[in-house]
């Protein structure tokens, strides 16, 4: 297995659990093999030490020097358009869909079920129509 995402200065990470769960941070400095100094200037995460266990590395890397100040991290973040790229990623879309499903009420789930049934009924009808046409030829 070849690794493509490495822990490096400027690597953008997704915080999977903890008080800042669901937010993006940039690795500013590596403290030791278990922790990194992170900063999320555009996501509301203050500069702090965070364990690697609660971070998931993304494909995005911003160009910042070692232990850069928050002002420089913010400029690099906005220049790289990390938030826009993240919103377009399939990872973010899956997370958003999961949250949307979790917020659904019982009636919303019922409406989705009825819509799926109707869709499948229409598809089944069209497939049968095409099969009859193919059988005639």
């Amino acid at each position: 297995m070849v690794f493509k995402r490495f822990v490096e200065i400027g690597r953008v990470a997704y915080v999977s659990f903890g008080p800042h769960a669901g937010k993006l941070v940039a690795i500013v400095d590596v403290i030791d093999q278990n922790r990194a100094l992170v900063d999320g200037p555009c996501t509301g995460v203050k500069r702090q030490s965070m364990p690697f266990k609660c971070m998931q590395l993304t494909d995005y890397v911003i160009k910042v020097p070692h232990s850069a100040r928050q002002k420089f991290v913010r400029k690099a973040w906005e220049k790289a358009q990390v938030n826009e790229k993240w919103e377009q990623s399939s990872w973010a879309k899956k997370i958003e869909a999961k949250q949307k499903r979790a917020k659904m009420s019982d009636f919303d789930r019922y409406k989705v079920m009825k819509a799926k049934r109707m869709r499948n009924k229409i598809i089944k009808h069209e497939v049968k129509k095409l099969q009859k046409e193919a059988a005639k030829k």
Side-chain angles (χ1 to χ4, degrees), residues 20 25-29 36-41 44-50 64-74:
H20 300 290
V25 294
I27 296 175
V28 179
D29 197 0
L37 185 68
V38 298
D39 194 1
V45 180
K46 292 184 178 177
R47 182 171 291 221
Q48 60 186 293
S49 169
M50 191 172 284
V64 290
H66 184 74
S67 297
R69 291 175 52 200
Q70 186 175 9
K71 182 171 78 172
F72 295 115
V73 176
R74 179 183 296 275

Side-chain angles (χ1 to χ4, degrees), residues 4-23:
K4 295 179 182 171
R5 300 174 183 160
F6 298 106
V7 175
E8 58 185 314
I9 307 300
R11 173 70 67 180
V12 177
Y14 173 76
V15 182
S16 55
F17 63 89
H20 300 290
K23 295 182 180 178

Side-chain angles (χ1 to χ4, degrees), residues 107-123:
F107 184 61
D108 291 333
R109 285 189 289 276
Y110 174 77
K111 289 192 290 188
V112 169
M113 179 193 73
K114 293 299 272 184
K116 283 182 179 179
R117 274 190 190 169
M118 196 64 183
R119 182 194 65 198
N120 290 338
K121 191 175 182 181
I122 292 168
I123 291 171

